[in-house]
């Protein structure tokens, strides 16, 4: 019995020379792009994360165009506005506003106590108040020590002058240095105390650094 004729282009299913494809659903349809040949790179798929650093990842930015520039030669300079503090000493006898109320109390004891000792002690006892402040608070507070040492050096100088004046009273001229010691120790002690109370710097005149 003869087989009816087939349309043009349709193969013979019973032809043993025709290639056999068991997966007919994978065959490309008419008008679609052909699949890539074996071994060719596959196109990227959406939704996959970018490659991480390391082998196959993004290289770090170089120092060229678009990269991070290296630090300038010699390092970074000081910040604007004067640079870093040089560690210089604060005003010699000005009260530091960073001190506590107790520090300020002992600072006033050093100055006003020296003035009171010079007045009531005849010029020879002005060193007592600064010495008490130095021993009581000087080891705990550097700012109190500064003021106490400054007042003590000033009052010691005029205490020595007063003692010399007492020794020379027998020849009458000793009253002059004695009166000068009382006036200087009292007046400048009060001025220093007022300046310290107002947070203003002050330096005793004619002071000798006998105590460091």
């Amino acid at each position: 019995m003869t087989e009816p004729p087939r349309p043009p282009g349709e193969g013979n299913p019973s032809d043993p020379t025709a290639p056999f494809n068991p997966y007919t659903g994978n065959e490309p349809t008419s008008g679609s792009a052909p699949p890539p040949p074996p071994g060719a790179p596959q196109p990227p798929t959406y939704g996959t994360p970018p490659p991480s650093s390391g082998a196959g990842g993004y290289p770090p930015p170089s120092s060229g165009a678009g990269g991070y520039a290296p630090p300038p030669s010699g390092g970074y300079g000081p910040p604007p506005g004067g640079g870093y503090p040089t560690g210089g000493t604060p005003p010699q006898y000005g009260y530091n506003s960073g001190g506590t109320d107790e520090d300020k109390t002992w600072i006033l004891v050093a100055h006003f106590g020296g003035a009171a000792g010079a007045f009531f002690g005849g010029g020879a006892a002005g060193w007592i108040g600064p010495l008490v402040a130095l021993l009581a608070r000087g080891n705990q507070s550097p700012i109190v020590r500064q003021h106490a040492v400054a007042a003590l050096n000033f009052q010691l100088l005029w205490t020595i002058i007063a003692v010399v004046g007492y020794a020379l009273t027998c020849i009458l001229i000793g009253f002059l240095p004695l009166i000068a010691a009382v006036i200087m120790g009292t007046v400048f002690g009060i001025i220093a105390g007022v300046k310290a109370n107002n947070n203003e710097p002050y330096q005793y005149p004619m002071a000798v650094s006998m105590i460091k």
Side-chain angles (χ1 to χ4, degrees):
M1 186 176 191
T2 58
E3 187 176 348
R6 295 179 179 274
E10 183 178 355
N12 186 4
S14 60
D15 187 4
T17 60
F20 177 72
N21 184 7
Y23 306 99
T24 58
N26 294 336
E27 291 183 356
T29 60
S30 177
S32 62
Q42 300 294 327
T45 57
Y46 297 101
T48 57
S52 58
S53 60
Y58 298 115
S62 60
S63 59
Y68 301 108
S73 176
Y76 297 101
Y84 300 107
T86 57
T89 57
Q92 187 71 23
Y93 312 125
Y95 174 68
N96 186 357
S97 58
T100 62
D101 292 338
E102 185 177 0
D103 292 341
K104 190 170 185 177
T105 299
W106 283 109
I107 288 172
L108 298 181
V109 168
H111 295 303
F112 287 128
F119 181 78
F120 294 106
W127 55 273
I128 298 177
L131 182 61
V132 171
L134 179 63
L135 296 178
R137 187 66 178 173
N139 292 332
Q140 290 82 23
S141 174
I143 189 65
V144 173
R145 181 177 179 84
Q146 276 188 349
H147 285 263
V149 168
L152 183 59
N153 284 328
F154 178 79
Q155 297 294 348
L156 280 178
L157 174 63
W158 291 101
T159 296
I160 295 173
I161 295 175
V163 171
V164 172
Y166 280 114
L168 297 178
T169 53
C170 59
I171 57 175
L172 299 180
I173 62 173
F175 287 103
L176 296 178
L178 182 60
I179 294 174
V182 174
I183 295 175
M184 295 291 290
T186 303
V187 171
F188 287 102
I190 293 175
I191 293 176
V194 172
K195 292 289 186 179
N197 188 54
N198 295 331
N199 298 340
E200 299 177 6
Y202 180 76
Q203 185 170 0
Y204 282 99
M206 297 175 290
V208 180
S209 298
M210 292 178 284
I211 307 297
K212 299 294 185 179

